[in-house]
Amino acid sequence: MSYEFREFECDDLDLNNKTILITGGTGSFGKLISTTILNKWKPKRLIILSRDELKQSEMADKSPWKNHDCVRFFIGNVREYERLEMAFRGVDYVIHAAALKQVTTAEYNPFECIRTNVIGAENVVRAALHNNVQKVIALSTDKASNPGNLYGASKLASDKIMTAANHLAGAGGTRFAVVRYGNVMGSRGSVVPLFDKLITDGIKKLPITDDRMTRFWITLQQGVNFVLSSLTIMKGGEIFIPKIPSIHITDLAKAMDPNIDMEIVGIRPGEKLHESMISSDDARTSVDLGDRYAILPAVVRWSDDKHHVLTKTHSYLDDGFVYASNNNSEWLSVEDLKFWLKKYYYTS
């Protein structure tokens, strides 16, 4: 039996007759979460906000988007507050997925990364507060924990902006939360498409940055379900972290082609050997929720209770706890990777 990924059920979430806006909605995540929403609920409106008119046009001509009158395509950039302020009018829930995500690209283009990931997060917060949006949930990354590169640092800043926004909203205002997870199997930013192309092109040796490297691993559908389930349970200020397996990068290469040789080429600028999602410092304000962890705000000033509601039913993690890809208790074997790659990536 192959490793079974957690389902992250979202049955308690009701998006019927709600207006949902997805920033970065034409990306891999945006396409799948919008499809999931349309298949599961009947929203009043589903707004896809992104910069790329071509991607929007291509989406609009395909199922399921062309078959639903509730779908709206909105050209806009999270860097531009005025455009977001217009887009967020009448919106109940915002799923903030827009970001610059490539580590090396961010290292060489720091101004652009900051404008999108940090200033963009501020603009989302301001527009949501101005329009009395009910909930905002933002996508983060494992690289935001003890960041070693600009991308991770920009997403940590974004996480802080989102969680602190609950103070600005006050007791009855918009609630903001964050989800943080690892590498997504087969997404555009994943190493899987790169390895696949190199193997297809007949490369003799697969480039491996470091044979000790480990990463967290999650399927795209699992990431979508995790966001939706976190939207259900969020009270404001949480950073939700799924319990997901780790992989050895060399096992991934073996799963994709067991006969190919590997060449160690060295870690790229800003790249880590291992990724973490909860540092020992974060553990002091984190709780175990069963299928996920939640890093809670150290100070709560938007309710009558100075402590977060989850601390009433869950204890903080032990001092020194670290959730990292190299000390994980769950791992995918080569055979596991073969099975899940066939299911989620090699679909033909």
Side-chain angles (χ1 to χ4, degrees):
M1 175 63 70
S2 178
Y3 177 92
E4 290 294 327
F5 285 95
R6 290 180 175 85
E7 293 294 335
F8 300 118
E9 298 291 347
C10 49
D11 293 338
D12 293 336
L13 180 63
D14 184 8
L15 297 180
N16 290 315
N17 204 35
K18 300 291 186 181
T19 296
I20 306 105
L21 182 144
I22 306 166
T23 72
T26 55
S28 302
F29 174 87
K31 288 180 178 178
L32 186 55
I33 196 168
S34 61
T35 300
T36 301
I37 290 170
L38 291 171
N39 288 340
K40 194 175 181 66
W41 296 282
K42 295 181 179 179
K44 182 178 180 181
R45 283 185 299 153
L46 180 62
I47 304 169
I48 308 297
L49 185 144
S50 72
R51 301 172 300 160
D52 195 321
E53 62 177 335
L54 176 59
K55 289 180 181 177
Q56 289 195 7
S57 177
E58 291 171 345
M59 280 183 68
D61 286 338
K62 296 179 181 178
S63 297
W65 305 283
K66 72 175 182 179
N67 299 326
H68 289 82
D69 294 335
C70 66
V71 176
R72 303 285 189 274
F73 289 94
F74 205 103
I75 294 290
N77 194 323
V78 295
R79 298 181 181 194
E80 299 166 358
Y81 168 74
E82 290 79 9
R83 190 61 170 161
L84 291 186
E85 193 278 328
M86 287 189 287
F88 283 19
R89 291 173 186 172
V91 170
D92 297 303
Y93 301 129
V94 170
I95 300 168
H96 178 41
L100 293 182
K101 302 180 178 71
Q102 297 291 332
V103 170
T104 304
T105 300
E107 293 298 299
Y108 287 106
N109 301 274
F111 294 173
E112 301 306 303
C113 179
I114 294 298
R115 288 186 180 115
T116 297
N117 294 356
V118 180
I119 306 304
E122 179 187 357
N123 289 338
V124 168
V125 166
R126 292 173 58 206
L129 291 172
H130 182 82
N131 286 285
N132 297 312
V133 172
Q134 293 179 28
K135 290 183 178 181
V136 176
I137 192 158
L139 274 63
S140 186
T141 170
D142 49 10
K143 295 170 179 61
S145 176
N146 284 345
N149 51 60
L150 184 69
Y151 168 54
S154 71
K155 293 303 288 183
L156 176 60
S158 172
D159 294 354
K160 296 291 187 181
I161 288 168
M162 286 292 165
T163 55
N166 291 277
H167 300 298
L168 302 176
T174 307
R175 295 279 74 92
F176 299 84
V178 174
V179 294
R180 176 186 290 176
Y181 53 75
N183 294 266
V184 178
M185 184 185 301
S187 68
R188 289 184 302 172
S190 165
V191 71
V192 172
L194 171 63
F195 280 2
D196 187 28
K197 183 179 186 304
L198 292 174
I199 293 168
T200 302
D201 290 346
I203 196 169
K204 300 301 181 184
K205 292 184 178 181
L206 208 57
I208 303 293
T209 52
D210 193 297
D211 57 5
R212 298 167 295 171
M213 184 172 287
T214 64
R215 288 293 183 266
F216 287 107
W217 210 246
I218 190 171
T219 70
L220 187 55
Q221 185 65 67
Q222 193 187 22
V224 163
N225 292 347
F226 183 68
V227 170
L228 292 172
S229 63
S230 296
L231 185 65
T232 308
I233 65 175
M234 62 176 279
K235 302 299 181 183
E238 307 94 344
I239 300 176
F240 292 107
I241 295 156
K243 293 183 180 179
I244 53 177
S246 293
I247 67 163
H248 292 283
I249 196 67
T250 51
D251 286 345
L252 176 62
K254 292 174 186 176
M256 298 188 71
D257 189 336
N259 300 314
I260 200 167
D261 291 329
M262 303 180 204
E263 180 183 10
I264 307 302
V265 297
I267 292 178
R268 296 174 298 176
E271 195 172 35
K272 283 185 177 182
L273 192 59
H274 310 291
E275 297 287 2
S276 69
M277 288 202 280
I278 301 178
S279 67
S280 57
D281 292 322
D282 286 332
R284 289 194 291 270
T285 57
S286 300
V287 295
D288 188 337
L289 302 180
D291 64 350
R292 75 197 70 198
Y293 300 103
I295 302 173
L296 306 181
V299 179
V300 176
R301 289 201 175 101
W302 58 87
S303 72
D304 295 332
D305 194 328
K306 66 179 179 179
H307 299 292
H308 195 282
V309 64
L310 290 177
T311 61
K312 297 178 180 179
T313 52
H314 298 82
S315 300
Y316 287 120
L317 299 175
D318 294 335
D319 280 349
F321 177 87
V322 174
Y323 188 39
S325 61
N326 62 320
N327 75 349
N328 200 352
S329 60
E330 301 179 29
W331 291 82
L332 294 181
S333 67
V334 173
E335 292 305 313
D336 290 331
L337 284 164
K338 286 180 180 178
F339 177 87
W340 290 107
L341 283 169
K342 183 178 181 181
K343 182 172 182 178
Y344 284 107
Y345 184 71
Y346 300 114
T347 54
S348 59

